[in-house]
Amino acid sequence: MRITIDGREIEAREGATIFDAAGAAGIDIPVLCHDPRLDPVGVCRLCVVDVGERVLAAACVRRCEPGMEVRTNTSDIEADRAVLTELLMSEQPADHEADRRERAFGDNALLACARRYDAWGDSLPRGGGRADDTSSSVIHVDHQACILCDRCIRACDELQNNEVIGRTGKGHDSRIAFDLDVPMGQSTCVSCGECAAVCPTGALVDVAIGPELRPRDELEAVDSVCPYCGVGCALTYHVDRERNAIVFAEGRESPGNRQRLCVKGRYGWDYAAHPQRLRVPLIRRDDAYPKGALSKDVRGEHDGRRKPGGIVDYDEVLPAFREATWDEALDLVAERLSTIRDRDGPDALAGFGSAKCSNEEAYLFQKLVRACFGTNNVDHCTRLCHASSVAALLEGIGSGAVTTTYGDIANAGAALLAGTNTTANHPVAATFFKEARKRGTKLIVVDPRREAIAEHADHYCRIKPGTDVAFYNAMMQVIIEEELGDRAFIEERTENYDALATLVADYPPERAGAICGVEPDDIRAVARAFGSADSAIVFWGMGISQHVYGTNNARCLIALALLTGNIGKAGAGLHPLRGQNNVQGASDAGLIPMVYPDYQSVEDPAIREKFESAWGRELSPQRGLTVVEIAHAALEGSVKGMYIMGENPFLSDPNVNKVRKALSNLDFLVVQDIFLTETAEFADVILPASSYMEKLGTYTNTDRRVQIGRPVLEMPGEARLDWEVVCDVSTRMGFPMDYASPSEIFDEFAGLTNAYATLSHDNLGAVGKLWPNPDPERDDGPVVLFDDAFPTENGRAKFVPAEWTAARELPDDDYPFVLNTGRLLEHWHTGVMTRRTRVLDAIAPEAFVAMHPDDGSANGLSDGDNVTVESRRGSVTLRLRLTTRECRGAVFMPIHFREAAANLLTLDELDPDGKIPEFKFCAVRVSAAG
Amino acid sequence: MISTGTRSKIEAEMERYPQKRGALLPALYLVQAEHGYVSSDTVRELAEIMGLHPVEVMEVVTFYNLFFDRPQPRHHASVCTNLPCSLRGARVLLAQLEEHVGSKVGEPTDDGRLVLGHEECLGACAFAPMMRVDDAYHEDLDLEHAKSILDALE
C-alpha cells in the first residue's frame, strides 16, 4: 500500500507499522521501548507521529493504512518528545558522564534523546532513592536508570523464553524484579545477557570484561561465530585493535540464532587473553624423565579432603620444560615421529584432532596422519560424543548428519527431546524449543534427570538410567498396535519393517514400564502424542549416545521417526544435537579412523585410490583405532608416538587412572594447545597454538551450516596458526604441505567431497550456508533432507530393531548408586577455556555431585557436605548438592573440573558399533569425607 | 501449602474463564482468605496450579493494595482520604485514630491486632467520612463511633 511520510510517498507492506515502514524508507523515528524483535507495547511514547488525528499515534504500534499521511518531525511532535525526555531524565542518575551503558556499549538511547532535545531533567525536581543491585557477577542493575520500558521483560520472555523478569509494585514504586523480587544474582536468571543487550538506558549493563570502551566508532565490528557449542550462534565481536582486545560481543542476525546468545557466547571469550596462554614452544627437560604427571591433581594425589580447585598452577608444571625456538621444537617433533614411523611402522603413530578446530585444520590434520604418518589412527572427541548416533544414522538412513535444523521445530506438531539437557548444552536452541512449545508444539521430554527443559514439557517421563531401548520399543509397540504409524511411508521408503514389528511386539508398556520405572499409561500417552502429530522431530543428546548400547538407543529413535513417516518433510526429522562448535565439520573433514572426508570408507579400494591420487601417497587400507582404543594401545605399547592438537584426553576420556598410565607410556607425545592442559604434562614437546579468536576458518554447526569464524585478536608471543604448524611438521617429515590460506585448504577439502563440493569461503556469505547446497550463490541450502530418497544403495531407510540389555556395571551393595556425568551451562568440556573466563568461572567455580534429597537423608548426608564418590576405578572428594533434579538411586557429576575429575570414576567399556565409552552409567558409592 | 479445599475452589474458578489465567484475581483472594497473605511459596504453588510463571503471579500480588506479600495484622482499618472525605474531616479523623491506637498509618500495632491505612476513593462520598475495616464499610463516622469500632476488634 502507498502511504506518505514527511511528504515522501512510500510503499508499505500489509500489516507493517508506521515505525517499520519509516525504518524501511530510512526515516529515523526516535524510540526507547521498541525493539523490532519484540512485540511492540507503545509505552514510551517517544515514537509518536502525527497521522492527522486528534492525538498523536505511537508509530511502533500503529499499523499503516492506505493513503495515510504521516508527519514524524513537526515542531509539535518534537516539543512533545522533548517534554517526555525531560520527564524521564529528571528521574535518571544525576551523573550522566558516569553512565554505565555509555561506558560499556556507547549506545544509551535515552542519553541520545537528551542530547537531541537538550533535555537533562534539570527543570524538574530530581527523583532518586532507587537502589543498585550488584548481586549478579554479569549484569549491573541500576533501578534508578530504569524507565520501565519493559524491553528486558519482553526479551527474557519472548526471545530467551526464560520468564525471569517482571514488574513489582505500582505507580511511582514500580520496579523491574527478578523472580519473586529477589536480587538478580540469586534468581533463576541464567545470565544470557539478552536483557542488558536490549536495555536502552544504564539500568541493565554488562559488568565490564574487556578494557574500557573507547568511542564506538574507533572499534572494529568483526562478524564471527561463537566458539562453544554446536548451535554455532552468529555474533559480532567489537574489537579494540589498538589494545588487541575484545570489548564486548553481540548476537548477530542469522537463520539459526536470530541474534540470541547464551552466557558462554556473550561473556565467555576472555579466555583467549588469559595470562596463562602459551607463548613459546616448550621442550621437556632431560631431568623430567621418566615421563609422568607433573601437577598434584594430575598425579592423582589427594588426601581425601576436598580441594579448593581451580586451573592448573603453572609453577607445578613449567619447571619440567624449557623454552625452545620453533625450529628446534619442530625438528624434534619431526625427527621423533619419523623415527617411530620408520622403526615401528606407521600404526605405532596416532593423532587426535579437535572438534574445536576449523574444518581446514581438521582436514589438514587427518591428511597429515593418513598421508604423512601412513596410518588411519586419527580420531577426535566425536568418539566421546555422537559416534554411536552417527553409526546408527549411517546404517539406517545413509547419512550421519541431521535431517532437519533445530529451528524447524517451529513447524513441528510434536518434538521428542531424548537424553538432552538442552538448556545447558544448546542454550540458544532451547530458547526456540520453548518458543515452539508456547505456539503449540507438544514437547515430550524423556530423561532420568528432570532437566530444566522438562519444566516446559507437555509430557515428561523419568525413565531409570539405561532403559532407553525398552522405553522407545514400547512407544513403537503402542504406535503399531494403535495404528498410528505411516503405512505408506513404511512401504514406499523403508525396509526391514517386519523385523522391527516382531521385536517391539515383545515390549508392551506393562513390561517396558516395569523396566523403565514409568507408568504404562504414561508410555501410551507419549506414544499417542508423538504418533498422532502431523509432524514430529526427534532431538537427542549424550543421554542417548554415551552408552555401551548408544548405537541401539539411536537405532530406536531412528525407527520411531521412520515408523511415523517423520523424515523428509517440514517440522519432522532426526536431529542429534551436536556438542562442539565443529564436531559436525571435523567429522565431515575426516577426523575419523574409518573414513576419509565426507564419510568415504578407507577400506573401499576405489575411494582409497581417489585419495591416493589426490594426496600423492600410498594410504593404509586398514581402518584405524578410535580414541579409547588408542589409549589402550598406548598402554600396551603398540602405539608409541602421538600428536594431539587441541584435545585434552586426560580429562575427557573415561577411566583417568588408566589414561594416566597410557600417556606416561608413550615414547613421544607432542601437544599443540593454547594452555598447559592436563594432557600436556605428559608431553615431550608443547607447541603454542592459536585460539579461536585469532584465526580464520570455517565451522559446521549442528544444522550442517558452514560458517566463517574470523580473527579478532593477534596471537600472543610466538604462538602460531595451527594449520601452519601442521604443514611445517608434515613438510619436515618428508611430506611437503604448502598452502597460501585457509581458503585454499577448504577448496582442496571441498573438492574431495559431495557435501561441500559447491562451497567456498567466497560464497559462504554473512551467515554461512547449509550443506549440501546445489546453488550456494543464490540459496541458503536445504533445511529438510531426504524428501524423496535416502542416500542408501536402494534409496530406502532401514529399520534396525534393538533388544534392551542391562547396563554393564549395575549398582550393587558395595556401589549402590548409578553415576551419570555431563555438562553445566557455564562450562565447556575439560574447562580449559571456560575456567579461564571471568564470568563463567565466577558463576560456576566449583565441582559438585548432585543427589536426590531422599537418598541424601537415607545416607545421613546433607546439602553442602563434603563427600567422597568412589567407583571400582577411582575416587574423588567434592561438595554434595541435594536436588530433586536427580532421580533416586543415581548421582550426577559435571565433567569440567580437574580437581574432581568425573572420569576418574567412569568405565572405559565401549559400544561395539560406535566405539563410544560408557560415560553415563557406572556404579559408585557416596560417603561423608573425613 | 494451599489446602485441598481451596485448591478445588481455584480449579473451579479456572473453569469459568476462557483462559485459565483470567482466574488469577479470584484465586489470589481464595489463598489470601486461607493464609492471611500470599507468601513466596504460595505464589510458586499457585503459579504451578494455574500454569503461570511465578513472576507473573508476583506482579499481580504487588500491584494491588488488597493483596499482601507478607504476614499481616489481624485487621486492616483504612480511612478514605479522597477529596469529599477530606472536606468532611477524614484527615483529622485519621490522625486522631493514629493517636488512639498508638501506631502510625502503615505500622501495625504492637499486639499485631490492627494496622491503620488510608485509601483513595472507596465510592462512598455521600457518607463521608468513612472507613473500611476488613471487608465492611463504616460510614458517616465521628471520632467516638470510629474508636468504638476499632476497640471492638479482636
Side-chain angles (χ1 to χ4, degrees):
Chain A
M1 72 182 82
R2 307 288 294 175
I3 65 166
T4 310
I5 303 184
D6 295 339
R8 273 174 63 192
E9 277 223 8
I10 283 168
E11 186 66 31
R13 71 181 161 73
E14 200 66 39
T17 62
I18 296 171
F19 186 85
D20 295 340
I27 297 168
D28 176 47
I29 299 178
V31 71
L32 291 174
C33 73
H34 186 52
D35 179 304
R37 292 185 299 160
L38 305 171
D39 277 348
V41 288
V43 298
C44 79
R45 313 310 288 180
L46 225 33
C47 70
V48 287
V49 292
D50 186 345
V51 294
E53 293 173 355
R54 186 177 60 84
V55 292
L56 302 175
C60 71
V61 288
R62 186 61 178 269
R63 306 216 177 271
C64 297
E65 292 156 29
M68 197 178 233
E69 288 197 23
V70 183
R71 303 213 59 89
T72 70
N73 55 4
T74 64
S75 56
D76 279 358
I77 295 172
E78 288 291 281
D80 203 89
R81 290 175 182 153
V83 170
L84 286 171
T85 306
E86 180 72 9
L87 285 163
L88 288 171
M89 288 303 296
S90 73
E91 295 278 316
Q92 286 289 300
D95 185 359
H96 310 307
E97 299 297 315
D99 178 73
R100 284 193 184 79
R101 188 160 205 93
E102 291 289 284
R103 291 189 165 198
F105 307 114
D107 66 346
N108 186 319
L110 177 57
L111 288 185
C113 288
R115 283 183 212 109
R116 174 167 170 168
Y117 299 110
D118 195 20
W120 301 93
D122 298 330
S123 68
L124 295 161
R126 195 155 282 284
R130 280 181 283 171
D132 281 10
D133 173 357
T134 57
S135 59
S136 161
S137 47
V138 183
I139 293 165
H140 185 108
V141 188
D142 180 351
H143 287 292
Q144 192 61 47
C146 175
I147 57 169
L148 292 170
C149 68
D150 277 7
R151 270 210 215 186
C152 56
I153 299 177
R154 284 172 286 150
C156 194
D157 291 359
E158 296 169 23
L159 300 180
Q160 292 282 341
N161 296 280
N162 286 327
E163 280 97 4
V164 176
I165 314 181
R167 273 189 187 212
T168 178
K170 69 172 171 189
H172 190 262
D173 295 330
S174 295
R175 278 187 293 111
I176 56 162
F178 304 92
D179 287 343
L180 304 184
D181 201 9
V182 297
M184 188 182 206
Q186 290 159 32
S187 72
T188 55
C189 167
V190 294
S191 307
C192 71
E194 199 73 59
C195 57
V198 298
C199 178
T201 73
L204 291 161
V205 179
D206 293 354
V207 176
I209 300 171
E212 198 180 327
L213 183 75
R214 48 207 290 149
R216 205 165 156 146
D217 52 14
E218 289 178 23
L219 299 183
E220 187 178 334
V222 183
D223 286 352
S224 191
V225 184
C226 173
Y228 286 104
C229 80
V231 177
C233 295
L235 48 64
T236 300
Y237 292 112
H238 294 270
V239 183
D240 185 333
R241 289 284 186 201
E242 200 168 298
R243 294 192 179 96
N244 188 32
I246 300 171
V247 182
F248 63 96
E250 196 171 48
R252 185 158 65 84
E253 189 57 37
S254 128
N257 63 308
R258 304 218 307 257
Q259 298 184 38
R260 300 174 196 182
L261 294 177
C262 78
V263 62
K264 290 193 287 282
R266 201 182 304 274
Y267 302 113
W269 34 261
D270 50 328
Y271 70 90
H274 193 276
Q276 284 193 337
R277 276 293 296 277
L278 293 173
R279 291 160 180 273
V280 280
L282 299 169
I283 293 179
R284 200 177 192 93
R285 290 183 189 276
D286 292 340
D287 58 8
Y289 290 88
K291 278 196 291 184
L294 300 166
S295 67
K296 231 174 149 186
D297 279 328
V298 175
R299 282 202 302 271
E301 290 167 8
H302 69 94
D303 49 14
R305 288 218 304 274
R306 192 175 62 82
K307 284 162 289 187
I311 51 178
V312 63
D313 178 359
Y314 272 27
D315 290 343
E316 277 189 294
V317 180
L318 271 184
F321 294 90
R322 65 176 173 83
E323 296 187 354
T325 63
W326 271 101
D327 272 337
E328 185 189 7
L330 290 171
D331 281 344
L332 184 62
V333 170
E335 182 220 313
R336 295 290 302 275
L337 291 177
S338 302
T339 305
I340 295 171
R341 177 187 62 191
D342 300 340
R343 185 188 65 204
D344 304 296
D347 291 336
L349 293 180
F352 287 169
S354 171
K356 297 228 76 60
C357 288
S358 66
N359 288 322
E360 293 78 4
E361 289 160 347
Y363 171 78
L364 270 201
F365 191 79
Q366 61 89 38
K367 182 177 173 184
L368 168 81
V369 174
R370 295 198 150 106
C372 175
F373 292 4
T375 175
N376 286 312
N377 290 340
V378 61
D379 206 353
H380 74 295
C381 55
T382 189
R383 196 60 48 201
L384 314 173
C385 157
H386 266 307
S388 47
S389 310
V390 170
L393 285 164
L394 286 172
E395 168 192 70
I397 64 169
S399 163
V402 298
T403 73
T404 190
T405 64
Y406 64 82
D408 196 26
I409 191 172
N411 305 309
L416 167 62
L417 306 183
T420 167
N421 184 6
T422 324
T423 54
N425 297 330
H426 306 91
V428 171
T431 69
F432 290 96
F433 295 175
K434 295 184 221 170
E435 186 175 308
R437 161 71 172 72
K438 282 186 191 164
R439 293 182 181 164
T441 302
K442 297 282 177 222
L443 220 53
I444 302 164
V445 174
V446 182
D447 203 301
R449 301 182 74 210
R450 192 180 168 93
E451 311 288 10
I453 193 76
E455 307 305 327
H456 301 261
D458 294 277
H459 300 271
Y460 167 63
C461 289
R462 169 170 268 174
I463 57 171
K464 287 185 189 164
T467 62
D468 307 69
V469 169
F471 183 88
Y472 299 113
N473 278 348
M475 266 181 82
M476 289 191 276
Q477 193 272 346
V478 174
I479 288 170
I480 292 173
E481 187 177 86
E482 302 190 359
E483 297 183 350
L484 298 170
D486 184 339
R487 292 299 318 177
F489 186 93
I490 293 167
E491 270 160 37
E492 288 159 24
R493 304 204 45 193
T494 69
E495 60 186 359
N496 209 30
Y497 169 74
D498 291 342
L500 179 90
T502 309
L503 184 133
V504 302
D506 285 341
Y507 289 85
E510 277 67 25
R511 180 186 168 220
I515 295 171
C516 308
V518 177
E519 289 298 320
D521 281 346
D522 289 349
I523 300 179
R524 288 195 179 88
V526 166
R528 286 170 195 145
F530 187 89
S532 59
D534 290 338
S535 57
I537 308 188
V538 185
F539 293 96
W540 73 91
M542 305 292 95
I544 290 296
S545 61
Q546 287 181 333
H547 285 291
V548 288
Y549 34 75
T551 308
N552 277 347
N553 289 345
R555 283 170 176 143
C556 290
L557 298 178
I558 295 164
L560 190 58
L562 293 175
L563 180 64
T564 49
N566 274 315
I567 299 182
K569 60 183 182 186
L574 294 165
H575 194 122
L577 287 153
R578 304 292 160 149
Q580 308 246 3
N581 63 334
N582 200 36
V583 70
Q584 181 66 51
S587 304
D588 296 341
L591 275 185
I592 299 184
M594 310 83 177
V595 291
Y596 299 121
D598 212 7
Y599 310 94
Q600 304 175 74
S601 171
V602 299
E603 293 167 316
D604 182 319
I607 292 171
R608 192 165 59 248
E609 212 168 287
K610 171 173 121 181
F611 281 89
E612 283 176 341
S613 80
W615 294 342
R617 274 285 170 113
E618 200 177 311
L619 300 175
S620 166
Q622 267 131 28
R623 52 167 63 193
L625 299 175
T626 60
V627 165
V628 180
E629 289 171 332
I630 288 171
H632 290 177
L635 192 58
E636 289 159 13
S638 56
V639 164
K640 296 182 189 306
M642 278 195 77
Y643 187 165
I644 298 180
M645 176 175 82
E647 288 231 317
N648 190 11
F650 181 82
L651 280 184
S652 66
D653 287 13
N655 197 353
V656 165
N657 285 321
K658 209 161 164 181
V659 177
R660 182 186 301 111
K661 287 183 204 151
L663 290 172
S664 309
N665 203 34
L666 287 168
D667 280 359
F668 184 76
L669 170 64
V670 51
V671 170
Q672 180 173 322
D673 216 311
I674 60 173
F675 295 107
L676 265 182
T677 62
E678 289 70 25
T679 303
E681 294 187 22
F682 301 86
D684 297 86
V685 178
I686 302 171
L687 302 176
S690 47
S691 82
Y692 180 93
M693 302 299 167
E694 293 142 16
K695 58 195 176 191
L696 175 73
T698 60
Y699 302 84
T700 308
N701 81 350
T702 188
D703 282 346
R704 301 173 261 107
R705 182 172 296 281
V706 187
Q707 308 183 87
I708 298 184
R710 291 189 176 79
V712 293
L713 297 177
E714 298 294 326
M715 284 180 283
E718 296 173 26
R720 294 184 61 198
L721 294 171
D722 293 71
W723 68 267
E724 291 181 354
V725 177
V726 171
C727 287
D728 278 1
V729 169
S730 188
T731 303
R732 280 167 206 246
M733 287 180 73
F735 181 68
M737 281 192 195
D738 185 22
Y739 298 90
S741 67
S743 153
E744 191 183 327
I745 303 167
F746 185 91
D747 292 343
E748 178 179 314
F749 152 60
L752 290 163
T753 71
N754 287 323
Y756 289 73
T758 58
L759 302 178
S760 72
H761 279 214
D762 287 340
N763 65 24
L764 288 176
V767 297
K769 294 280 151 67
L770 295 171
W771 72 249
N773 194 326
D775 187 7
E777 300 297 337
R778 270 185 289 271
D779 193 22
D780 189 52
V783 168
V784 174
L785 297 183
F786 317 135
D787 55 355
D788 59 348
F790 291 99
T792 54
E793 264 173 37
N794 58 7
R796 285 169 176 265
K798 186 179 178 186
F799 284 103
V800 184
E803 289 281 7
W804 174 72
T805 50
R808 206 57 58 84
E809 189 182 71
L810 293 171
D812 55 22
D813 289 348
D814 290 337
Y815 297 94
F817 288 100
V818 175
L819 172 69
N820 188 356
T821 66
R823 301 204 312 233
L824 303 177
L825 166 64
E826 295 83 5
H827 281 298
W828 189 258
H829 217 184
T830 65
V832 173
M833 293 154 64
T834 49
R835 297 194 79 188
R836 290 178 173 88
T837 76
R838 188 188 67 72
V839 162
L840 302 174
D841 185 55
I843 303 174
E846 185 180 66
F848 62 88
V849 57
M851 176 186 266
H852 194 280
D854 291 355
D855 286 336
S857 53
N859 289 274
L861 300 171
S862 311
D863 193 67
D865 281 359
N866 290 331
V867 295
T868 299
V869 185
E870 287 169 275
S871 78
R872 290 181 174 82
R873 292 155 294 281
S875 79
V876 294
T877 300
L878 70 181
R879 200 183 286 280
L880 180 71
R881 273 192 203 171
L882 297 180
T883 159
T884 51
R885 276 271 170 92
E886 308 309 326
C887 63
R888 290 178 190 80
V891 295
F892 172 83
M893 274 175 65
I895 60 174
H896 318 290
F897 298 93
R898 65 195 302 276
E899 64 276 19
N903 281 324
L904 277 163
L905 311 172
T906 51
L907 189 62
D908 53 338
E909 298 262 354
L910 301 183
D911 173 276
D913 302 296
K915 306 286 182 190
I916 193 167
E918 178 64 84
F919 284 117
K920 299 280 193 213
F921 201 118
C922 75
V924 296
R925 62 175 168 235
V926 183
S927 53
Chain B
M1 282 289 286
I2 297 174
S3 70
T4 339
T6 302
R7 193 188 172 101
S8 54
K9 282 185 202 158
I10 292 169
E11 279 159 2
E13 286 291 338
M14 281 166 16
E15 293 296 312
R16 300 175 53 199
Y17 293 84
Q19 286 184 314
K20 284 194 285 184
R21 64 190 308 137
L24 182 54
L25 286 178
L28 283 168
Y29 279 118
L30 286 165
V31 293
Q32 186 160 289
E34 182 170 332
H35 298 287
Y37 73 108
V38 188
S39 69
S40 296
D41 285 344
T42 308
V43 166
R44 284 192 200 92
E45 218 182 330
L46 186 59
E48 174 82 34
I49 293 170
M50 300 192 66
L52 296 169
H53 294 280
V55 65
E56 295 174 300
V57 179
M58 181 278 291
E59 288 180 330
V60 174
V61 172
T62 59
F63 183 81
Y64 288 102
N65 282 3
L66 295 184
F67 294 128
F68 308 112
D69 61 358
R70 59 204 66 191
Q72 295 296 310
R74 293 192 293 284
H75 301 285
H76 290 264
S78 302
V79 176
C80 176
T81 54
N82 225 309
L83 185 61
C85 283
S86 288
L87 289 172
R88 304 250 311 160
R91 283 173 194 271
V92 177
L93 176 70
L94 184 54
Q96 287 167 333
L97 290 178
E98 280 182 325
E99 202 166 305
H100 179 65
V101 302
S103 274
K104 296 269 180 208
V105 164
E107 294 171 0
T109 54
D110 292 341
D111 55 5
R113 188 174 63 96
L114 170 71
V115 63
L116 284 178
H118 69 87
E119 301 254 18
E120 298 306 325
C121 186
L122 287 169
C125 312
F127 312 104
M130 62 82 66
M131 69 175 174
R132 183 178 61 83
V133 179
D134 300 330
D135 291 332
Y137 276 19
H138 299 274
E139 297 159 344
D140 290 325
L141 293 174
D142 57 36
L143 179 60
E144 289 313 310
H145 186 193
K147 277 190 199 169
S148 69
I149 293 166
L150 297 188
D151 291 345
L153 296 171
E154 294 292 313

